[in-house]
Amino acid sequence: MYAAYRVFMPKHANVTCIIPDDCILPCSFRPTGTVVIHWYKQQIPVHSYYYNKDQFGLQNKHFSGRTGLFNSNIPHGNASLLLRRVKVQDKGRYKCYTSTRKGNQEVFINLEVKALIQSVIMEMTDEMVTCSSHNIYPVPQVTWATDPPSAQEALENSTIKTTDHKGLLTVESTLRILGNLSNYTYFCSFIAADKTQVWTASRKNQEGITQEEGHALSIPCIAPRSLQNFSLIWTFTLSSEPTVIFRYESKTRHTFNLWEGQAELDQDLLLLGDGSLLLHKPDIEEQSGMYTCTLSGLQSRHTVQTRVNITVASISVDEQSVQRSWWSTAASAAFFLFTVTVALPQCVRKRATETRSAAHRFNGAGFVEVGLHKHLNTTASYVIGQRGVNCNRLQLQFEAQDEVADGTPNTAHDCTAALPPAAKIEQEGNPGGPLVEGDDGLLSSSLERDGFGNIEPGHHIS
């Protein structure tokens, strides 16, 4: 027969379990042979053990497949319950009931559950900055700050919480931008209900940077606080999804660089929290866009966003002078080439045509009369204005030989301009002086004929 049951005084314990991990609800008893174990949540059957095995017939379906005992340790007085994949709905008051030949015992466990803050995300628009965290429990406290510091009344925010079907929370807090977007660095902190966690996110949207192509450019990214065992990620967004272009892990010093040879970070400055990105020779099309730097440490994340605009390189004064000189040289060469290939042949053809016309008038029209006296040496010079060609002066030289059979003087072979059609020279008699220029612009001889046909000095030829 069983001895009279011995009832022990109730025991109480508080346990906190992390969602969605496994959790142990402790319970012990004095082993004295066969034992009966029952676990309840309030009056709901959670798990039962008797006849040396687990009994699931009365178990509530909420705990189905998620409970167990440490059967090998039961003979040693261990009646603890293993609760797998803890949920928000598991929180509450549990009772561990044990019964042996020595008596009965009840142990009460107050179970608290929490979902840890995994991350805090900050987003900014031109007017608002939003801080949010997902899948957390219970509701955390949210605080705001800025650098440079702002008055607390200026940091009034609106916080909203929503619950999903699992009972987990999404908390979102919104703050209005103070002044210009780039004036402040914003800090948002989520403090867990039990004060065991403080997660801080910070963000700064810097003023855009404009740089000429081909010139080195540094995009700043400096952590606002000292970081240890941090990671750094640079992303670049042009028109679609962000592309990771650089990744660095301070613990392993492992580096990934998608833009090898085009971009780099200073490893020594990195250890001091300076993750500024250096672009050696940025390109207009490939490297103009949005750059985002994220420094992540223990329960902290700092984000810096910068829009970069790469422009066409301007021309310096020296380069402009060289360029103008080059264009001037090119223009001169083009003009010379045009003159040689187009204008010069046309001029030559025109001069040749007019030369033939002048020769015809000179010889065919009796431009110089025959019948000069023997032993006459006369030199005639005519200065004639320009007639449609580029000749400003015409010289005709006639030399009468001692004996000219036909009485016609020779002409200079290099004359290329036509004489005026009315010009006519008549010279007879004794040798005279050279022709001189008259008031009408024509040259005439200083000798003139007398009434008998002789040439007398001091008179003009009519």
Side-chain angles (χ1 to χ4, degrees):
M1 297 293 296
Y2 289 105
Y5 287 107
R6 184 177 178 181
V7 180
F8 296 95
M9 293 298 294
K11 297 181 179 180
H12 299 270
N14 295 318
V15 174
T16 299
C17 294
I18 297 175
I19 302 170
D21 295 345
D22 296 346
C23 185
I24 297 175
L25 279 60
C27 181
S28 61
F29 63 97
R30 292 179 182 178
T32 55
T34 304
V35 64
V36 175
I37 303 173
H38 293 290
W39 276 93
Y40 299 93
K41 181 187 178 186
Q42 298 167 348
Q43 301 301 320
I44 300 172
V46 176
H47 195 96
S48 295
Y49 177 91
Y50 49 89
Y51 298 142
N52 294 324
K53 67 178 182 180
D54 296 306
Q55 304 291 334
F56 297 106
L58 298 176
Q59 185 183 47
N60 185 278
K61 63 179 182 179
H62 174 75
F63 296 98
S64 178
R66 296 197 302 124
T67 61
L69 302 177
F70 299 93
N71 292 11
S72 61
N73 290 328
I74 291 176
H76 303 288
N78 186 355
S80 299
L81 177 71
L82 174 63
L83 183 59
R84 301 182 181 93
R85 302 183 300 279
V86 172
K87 302 177 181 180
V88 173
Q89 294 80 3
D90 292 337
K91 67 175 296 187
R93 193 167 186 258
Y94 289 77
K95 181 175 72 173
C96 171
Y97 171 84
T98 58
S99 175
T100 66
R101 295 173 57 186
K102 299 292 184 178
N104 302 327
Q105 174 183 285
E106 290 181 343
V107 174
F108 294 91
I109 305 295
N110 188 34
L111 175 62
E112 294 289 343
V113 297
K114 67 178 181 179
L116 297 177
I117 303 170
Q118 301 295 324
S119 66
V120 175
I121 301 172
M122 289 188 74
E123 296 177 341
M124 297 182 75
T125 65
D126 292 340
E127 297 181 352
M128 308 295 291
V129 55
T130 301
C131 194
S132 62
S133 186
H134 304 274
N135 300 324
I136 56 178
Y137 187 88
V139 179
Q141 178 186 358
V142 182
T143 62
W144 287 90
T146 63
D147 182 25
S150 300
Q152 199 62 36
E153 56 268 19
L155 300 176
E156 293 184 4
N157 59 86
S158 173
T159 302
I160 301 174
K161 64 178 184 295
T162 57
T163 306
D164 64 10
H165 67 283
K166 295 180 180 180
L168 297 176
L169 300 172
T170 293
V171 179
E172 183 177 280
S173 184
T174 302
L175 178 70
R176 186 172 295 277
I177 294 293
L178 307 177
N180 292 331
L181 183 64
S182 59
N183 286 355
Y184 295 91
T185 299
Y186 291 85
F187 296 86
C188 172
S189 296
F190 275 56
I191 305 171
D194 59 2
K195 311 297 182 182
T196 58
Q197 274 190 298
V198 179
W199 244 96
T200 300
S202 56
R203 186 181 182 99
K204 181 176 179 62
N205 280 18
Q206 298 183 132
E207 290 186 359
I209 299 176
T210 300
Q211 180 65 292
E212 293 181 355
E213 63 176 336
H215 294 271
L217 168 65
S218 179
I219 307 174
C221 179
I222 301 175
R225 297 171 182 171
S226 177
L227 296 177
Q228 293 182 348
N229 296 332
F230 67 90
S231 65
L232 169 65
I233 296 177
W234 273 98
T235 61
F236 172 70
T237 306
L238 181 57
S239 58
S240 56
E241 292 296 320
T243 300
V244 176
I245 59 175
F246 200 98
R247 183 184 293 112
Y248 174 79
E249 297 290 338
S250 66
K251 189 173 183 179
T252 61
R253 296 201 176 188
H254 174 72
T255 300
F256 163 78
N257 189 351
L258 182 65
W259 288 358
E260 188 71 39
Q262 302 179 57
E264 66 175 355
L265 275 72
D266 190 316
Q267 298 288 336
D268 295 331
L269 293 178
L270 266 176
L271 299 178
L272 301 176
D274 186 346
S276 300
L277 181 68
L278 176 63
L279 301 180
H280 294 300
K281 294 182 178 180
D283 181 81
I284 293 179
E285 296 182 357
E286 297 182 359
Q287 293 172 312
S288 288
M290 186 67 72
Y291 289 78
T292 303
C293 165
T294 303
L295 284 159
S296 301
L298 179 62
Q299 298 186 153
S300 67
R301 175 176 294 167
H302 178 60
T303 303
V304 179
Q305 193 170 73
T306 311
R307 179 169 293 281
V308 174
N309 182 33
I310 307 302
T311 62
V312 177
S314 61
I315 302 176
S316 65
V317 175
D318 292 339
E319 290 174 334
Q320 290 178 351
S321 177
V322 171
Q323 192 176 72
R324 285 196 299 268
S325 177
W326 186 89
W327 278 109
S328 177
T329 303
S332 298
F335 178 76
F336 176 77
L337 183 61
F338 171 80
T339 302
V340 171
T341 58
V342 179
L344 185 58
Q346 292 180 357
C347 183
V348 169
R349 287 194 297 272
K350 187 173 183 181
R351 289 164 65 92
T353 301
E354 294 184 353
T355 299
R356 288 193 298 271
S357 177
H360 175 73
R361 291 194 303 269
F362 182 76
N363 295 320
F367 194 58
V368 178
E369 292 184 355
V370 298
L372 293 178
H373 291 283
K374 196 174 183 179
H375 307 295
L376 175 65
N377 292 319
T378 305
T379 300
S381 298
Y382 292 87
V383 178
I384 307 171
Q386 184 176 357
R387 281 181 51 85
V389 292
N390 296 327
C391 297
N392 296 322
R393 186 177 184 88
L394 177 65
Q395 294 181 348
L396 297 178
Q397 182 176 3
F398 301 97
E399 182 177 352
Q401 303 298 329
D402 291 340
E403 295 291 339
V404 180
D406 57 0
T408 303
N410 294 329
T411 60
H413 295 289
D414 58 348
C415 179
T416 59
L419 292 174
K424 183 177 180 180
I425 301 174
E426 293 181 1
Q427 294 185 355
E428 294 181 2
N430 297 326
L435 299 177
V436 294
E437 185 175 357
D439 294 336
D440 55 359
L442 298 177
L443 294 180
S444 59
S445 176
S446 59
L447 301 179
E448 186 173 357
R449 303 175 190 269
D450 58 12
F452 299 98
N454 298 321
I455 298 176
E456 294 180 355
H459 297 277
H460 297 284
I461 300 176
S462 58

